[in-house]
Amino acid sequence: MKLEFEKWLEGQGMQEKAKEFFNEAIICFKVSAYRGAFMLSFLGFQTMIRERLLVSDPPSSNLLPNPATWGGILEKLRKPTEWDIEVNRLIAIDNSEAEKNIFMINKDVRKEAVFWKEKRNACVHGKDQISYPHVEALWMFIQNHSGKFMVNSGIEGFVQQVKLHFNPVENDPTTDFSELINRMSSVVHDEQYDELFRRLFDALPLHSRTKDYVKRFWLAIANSDDPIRENFLQYLKNNMHQFEDFVFTFPELLRYFSAEESTLRKFWNQHLSKITVYKENTENLYDIAHWLFANNKIPISEQAIFWDKWISNQTLRWIDELPVEFVHLLRHYGYFYAYKKHLLAASPARYNREFWYKQERLLPQYLTYYELDEEFVTHFNKALNNVNAGSFTEKISEAFYANEERVKKSYKEICDKLGINSYFG
């Protein structure tokens, strides 16, 4: 049976030397050689930090003003007799005017790391009793905080590694990134998750046209175990533009916010209608709208207001052909009826040419997918006789002749019934 630390170790992308020490520690632990397990575990922790330092970029100038100092640190880290002393020294540095802690770890984590170093020294000299709780506690410390021991702080170092992983110039960005996800919770303190996600969104923006391998990374974060998932969803709730991008990219994950009535209301009331939707995003928009209506997230009394926002912002303007299920949704929940009211109320048919010109993309959808009636035909026929130039007339004609049997014929029949001359003859 695998230990929890053993499972955690498998998902970490550390160098082989550090992993070798940890594996030997696990073997010792399983045969109750706890002193050996403890010392090897601490040695693995030191080795892991050393290996990171040797391949790291130099600390920022505010942490290490003299660039030559970094060269001296690396020289000591390469010496077999000095490297462990230097690692311990770097961990223990208490920020002062003379020297800063290059890991930017907070005081509590630094003190705990120093405690385990002292405990290891006592263990080596036989001054302390060591049993399995000590080993397990050290392992828990390593699991919780190992990601913080990176130059320029855990967040800075981690974000740089993520950027490197997904940089197609230097790496194959489609390769497995699970070790990054596995290490994420050890990178930050509880209060730093917002900063981490903000920095990650800056480094790897998420929107509908994002590369698939980046989308998979964000999806993995959303589906990861707590505390990552819990903190990520909380971050999205507090940052509606990221929430908007995330939900529009992964509509199926709206269910994670099913109980967040305030967040959902803010989304559909203020953000959804303003999203620019192209043909390739039609399915995403449909999935979002369908989920909101199917789960009663938009009150019946406010559905007309909801559609008015779509119409005012011309949410559907870049979609030339609507899927059958989308047309059914728009009909069932009143979009086309709201659009007809908008046309009748917002435009004096004889005078407002500018208004009608702005309808050249939405109006063909109405003609194509909704039934004509006398009220609309009377109003629109007058407009056609006064607004008869440019791309507006071309697009309306296309809609009539593309659906000649249903649209043009129906339009002519209604005109005949009303005793008016049909613009389309």
Side-chain angles (χ1 to χ4, degrees):
M1 180 177 176
K2 288 188 176 181
L3 304 170
E4 285 302 315
F5 183 72
E6 195 172 2
K7 295 176 185 176
W8 173 84
L9 189 64
E10 290 176 350
Q12 304 304 303
M14 65 184 67
Q15 298 293 326
E16 285 303 315
K17 193 62 178 177
K19 191 177 290 186
E20 181 182 328
F21 286 129
F22 284 130
N23 285 332
E24 289 180 15
I26 291 168
I27 293 171
C28 288
F29 185 88
K30 288 182 176 180
V31 296
S32 302
Y34 300 122
R35 187 179 300 277
F38 186 89
M39 290 190 292
L40 285 166
S41 295
F42 190 79
L43 182 57
F45 175 63
Q46 288 177 304
T47 303
M48 176 187 66
I49 296 174
R50 177 201 186 208
E51 290 170 341
R52 286 180 184 170
L53 290 169
L54 288 173
V55 297
S56 174
D57 292 332
S60 58
S61 58
N62 64 310
L63 297 177
L64 207 64
N66 184 358
T69 306
W70 181 241
I73 290 173
L74 294 179
E75 185 177 349
K76 290 178 182 178
L77 291 173
R78 294 188 183 101
K79 292 182 178 179
T81 58
E82 294 186 34
W83 74 264
D84 57 334
I85 298 172
E86 183 65 7
V87 167
N88 290 335
R89 186 189 74 81
L90 293 170
I91 291 174
I93 291 172
D94 192 359
N95 292 335
S96 66
E97 291 185 8
E99 192 170 14
K100 305 290 185 183
N101 192 302
I102 63 173
F103 300 118
M104 297 173 66
I105 49 179
N106 70 23
K107 186 187 298 183
D108 291 339
V109 174
R110 177 176 55 77
K111 284 184 175 180
E112 192 171 353
V114 172
F115 166 80
W116 290 118
K117 188 260 292 185
E118 299 297 336
K119 195 74 174 174
R120 177 260 186 193
N121 291 345
C123 178
V124 169
H125 297 290
K127 295 180 180 179
D128 218 341
Q129 183 69 30
I130 296 294
S131 189
Y132 68 90
H134 299 96
V135 181
E136 290 180 335
L138 174 57
W139 284 350
M140 186 60 67
F141 170 79
I142 294 170
Q143 286 177 256
N144 288 340
H145 300 297
S146 62
K148 300 179 180 70
F149 291 89
M150 295 181 183
V151 173
N152 294 327
S153 87
I155 291 178
E156 178 67 26
F158 182 77
V159 171
Q160 291 303 318
Q161 289 188 340
V162 171
K163 289 172 69 175
L164 179 64
H165 180 94
F166 290 105
N167 184 347
V169 175
E170 300 187 52
N171 289 300
D172 176 1
T174 64
T175 55
D176 181 47
F177 51 74
S178 57
E179 67 181 51
L180 292 171
I181 303 294
N182 293 335
R183 191 150 30 92
M184 189 177 294
S185 61
S186 71
V187 167
V188 294
H189 307 290
D190 290 342
E191 70 277 7
Q192 291 181 310
Y193 274 102
D194 278 7
E195 173 68 11
L196 173 63
F197 295 132
R198 183 187 67 78
R199 293 288 305 280
L200 285 174
F201 270 118
D202 288 343
L204 296 176
L206 178 66
H207 45 76
S208 60
R209 295 186 175 184
T210 296
K211 298 290 187 182
D212 284 344
Y213 49 79
V214 174
K215 288 181 181 177
R216 287 195 294 271
F217 176 74
W218 285 111
L219 187 61
I221 290 177
N223 289 324
S224 61
D225 296 329
D226 287 337
I228 297 171
R229 177 175 173 272
E230 179 184 0
N231 281 283
F232 179 61
L233 297 180
Q234 185 62 45
Y235 172 84
L236 291 177
K237 287 188 293 183
N238 295 333
N239 295 271
M240 286 304 296
H241 287 295
Q242 268 91 36
F243 180 96
E244 172 189 315
D245 290 335
F246 178 80
V247 166
F248 194 69
T249 305
F250 306 113
E252 70 276 13
L253 298 189
L254 262 173
R255 67 183 187 276
Y256 285 161
F257 303 94
S258 184
E260 304 292 336
E261 298 295 338
S262 176
T263 300
L264 290 174
R265 182 176 181 82
K266 189 182 298 183
F267 172 62
W268 68 255
N269 198 29
Q270 298 180 1
H271 293 263
L272 180 57
S273 63
K274 297 178 182 178
I275 296 174
T276 300
V277 185
Y278 297 101
K279 180 179 179 181
E280 62 266 28
N281 313 130
T282 305
E283 184 177 347
N284 298 49
L285 182 63
Y286 167 77
D287 288 343
I288 291 171
H290 180 265
W291 188 90
L292 289 170
F293 281 112
N295 289 278
N296 302 312
K297 299 303 180 182
I298 304 175
I300 294 175
S301 62
E302 296 185 73
Q303 288 178 7
I305 297 173
F306 175 76
W307 292 128
D308 284 343
K309 292 178 184 292
W310 278 43
I311 293 164
S312 297
N313 291 295
Q314 299 210 331
T315 301
L316 301 176
R317 66 187 179 278
W318 301 118
I319 305 175
D320 293 324
E321 185 175 347
L322 290 166
V324 173
E325 63 272 14
F326 208 156
V327 173
H328 176 74
L329 181 146
L330 295 173
R331 283 177 175 167
H332 183 75
Y333 291 104
Y335 168 81
F336 291 117
Y337 178 74
Y339 184 67
K340 186 184 85 167
K341 286 183 64 178
H342 175 74
L343 294 179
L344 298 180
S347 166
R350 289 186 177 278
Y351 308 112
N352 199 345
R353 294 188 178 189
E354 183 180 355
F355 170 83
W356 287 102
Y357 289 149
K358 288 180 179 178
Q359 306 305 312
E360 67 175 27
R361 298 198 66 90
L362 293 185
L363 187 52
Q365 292 175 348
Y366 178 87
L367 294 170
T368 302
Y369 299 117
Y370 201 58
E371 295 73 25
L372 304 180
D373 59 27
E374 293 181 8
E375 184 179 27
F376 171 79
V377 170
T378 301
H379 190 79
F380 185 48
N381 201 59
K382 292 178 182 178
L384 286 173
N385 283 287
N386 289 278
V387 186
N388 54 4
S391 59
F392 170 80
T393 306
E394 291 176 9
K395 290 189 177 297
I396 300 306
S397 297
E398 287 175 9
F400 268 84
Y401 289 105
N403 302 274
E404 189 164 353
E405 181 64 26
R406 192 183 70 80
V407 180
K408 185 182 175 185
K409 182 179 179 182
S410 175
Y411 193 89
K412 178 69 165 56
E413 289 175 351
I414 293 174
C415 285
D416 290 344
K417 180 179 179 182
L418 295 170
I420 58 178
N421 292 325
S422 169
Y423 177 84
F424 282 94

